[in-house]
Amino acid sequence: MTILVTGGAGFIGSNFVLSWLTETSEPLINLDKLTYAGNLDNLATVSKNPDYIFVRGDIGDASLVPELLAKHKPRAIVNFAAESHVDRSIKNPSDFVLTNVVGTFNLLEATKAYWTNLPISEKEAFRFLHISTDEVYGSLTAEAPAFAETNRYEPNSPYSASKAASDHFARAYFHTYGLPVITTNCSNNYGPFQFPEKLIPLCVHRALSNEPLPIYGDGKQIRDWLHVADHCSAIRAVLTGGAAGATYNIGGNEEKTNLQVVGEVCKILDDLRPRTDGHSYERQIEFVADRPGHDRRYAINAHKIEQELGWTPTETFASGLRSTIRWYLDNQTWIINVTTGNYQNWMRSHYGVE
Ligand code: NAD
Ligand code: TYD
């Protein structure tokens, strides 16, 4: 038995690969294009593991993917590969259409061709697990109930629109062809190996570099936060017990405003690595222009996965954030390696930083 993971060199994918190789004895193939967000440093500890195979390539490659499927005969595919940053999708949406929509479509096509020819028992057991986001449901008012799986899709950014489109293709391949697809919609993740363009690692990195911590708009936008290790355990639970054709929301039950999140980051840094002048890192907070079309609130109702599969998160935001910040402090070389080249170009074009 083997599974194929796509996008396994990114933030969530690499955490998933590492935990899979620790928690199971099943081989894993990682197909990743290594865009700016893919980083093999994340996987250095498993690079020589005989149960791990890395292949550099695109999920949309209509000759490579069928070859891989025929060669390794996976019993499941976990599709993490995507363009994932909302701000980049606003500046350059076309990459999001190419990977998230067309790439996922091509991957579904190749998977369907492979799956159709499997023996009946393998066909039934096969799973295509499509990793998606809560952002496809749009934006909530302060009083609205959290997103349930039955909420309608109302994506507002080019990123969430492209993820919504890929979710619709995944759904259609189950309903039309019977391909055993499951989709998960998860809230904001944080943890080790997150690229420092996303809020939490961005603020840790900039706080330590004595740079402003940019808060979009009034900073009162709300996100639900889940530690990446809990997301990975939820994905394993869905892979084991999830029903073909089902969708599962995954969340941490930890709604916070962005100001609260950045405030917490500052407090933990004040404790673990105080500024030399004795002031709090909070003095580096700076309000900047809002993100166009910025969704106000996301919140997840994760009752279904809890009731059907017995999954609940193990980490609170307070404990998870502290261990995450410790990880960034202990892994400054990782940060330095990713904050060169392409990263600097993004900082210059988005924040006007030299
Ligand atoms: P990421 O940007 O850190 O990593 C994406 C990975 O996909 C990178 O390794 C990249 O090289 C690879 N990739 C991109 N295009 C590819 C292609 N065409 N073919 C093969 N590989 C390609 O993203 P992430 O934060 O780890 O998110 C992973 C998945 O989880 C995405 O589908 C995202 O939509 C979803 N998700 C993320 C979050 C979050 O908070 N980060 C929350 C919910 C859902
Ligand atoms: P982000 O980490 O980009 O995730 P997403 O947009 O997928 O939720 O952003 C999390 C929140 O933080 C979001 O409301 C935007 C906000 N934000 C800032 O206020 N400043 C920043 O520099 C960034 C990158 C994000």
Side-chain angles (χ1 to χ4, degrees), residues 307-320:
Q307 275 158 14
E308 285 189 15
L309 305 179
W311 176 87
T312 49
T314 58
E315 196 81 73
T316 62
F317 186 67
S319 64

Side-chain angles (χ1 to χ4, degrees), residues 115-163:
W115 171 81
T116 303
N117 292 318
L118 288 177
I120 187 80
S121 60
E122 289 175 35
K123 246 176 131 164
E124 277 169 13
F126 185 83
R127 291 289 179 269
F128 182 101
L129 182 40
H130 179 60
I131 307 300
S132 190
T133 163
D134 59 358
E135 304 194 23
V136 295
Y137 296 120
S139 185
L140 292 168
T141 58
E143 311 75 35
F147 300 129
E149 287 81 357
T150 47
N151 272 55
R152 64 183 257 198
Y153 272 31
E154 293 180 344
N156 291 321
S157 72
Y159 163 65
S160 55
S162 68
K163 290 297 289 185

Side-chain angles (χ1 to χ4, degrees), residues 285-334:
I285 289 177
E286 196 172 290
F287 289 88
V288 300
D290 207 353
R291 170 187 280 173
H294 199 170
D295 283 337
R296 199 66 186 164
R297 173 175 167 240
Y298 303 142
I300 279 275
N301 170 344
H303 288 157
K304 182 178 174 184
I305 188 169
E306 180 175 354
Q307 275 158 14
E308 285 189 15
L309 305 179
W311 176 87
T312 49
T314 58
E315 196 81 73
T316 62
F317 186 67
S319 64
L321 186 64
R322 204 174 173 84
S323 66
T324 298
I325 291 178
R326 258 189 217 290
W327 185 89
Y328 284 102
L329 290 172
D330 292 345
N331 288 274
Q332 282 295 298
T333 321
W334 182 88

Side-chain angles (χ1 to χ4, degrees), residues 10-12 32-33 35 38 58-59 80 84 99 132 159 163 189:
F11 163 47
I12 304 173
D32 196 295
K33 186 177 172 179
T35 66
D58 194 314
I59 55 166
F80 292 100
S84 70
T99 283
S132 190
Y159 163 65
K163 290 297 289 185
N189 283 215

Side-chain angles (χ1 to χ4, degrees), residues 217-254:
D218 63 5
K220 293 186 183 150
Q221 304 82 5
I222 293 171
R223 299 291 182 264
D224 172 62
W225 291 91
L226 179 72
H227 192 277
V228 66
D230 280 323
H231 189 187
C232 293
S233 74
I235 294 167
R236 288 195 298 275
V238 171
L239 210 45
T240 307
T247 68
Y248 294 92
N249 280 354
I250 303 171
N253 215 10
E254 291 275 17

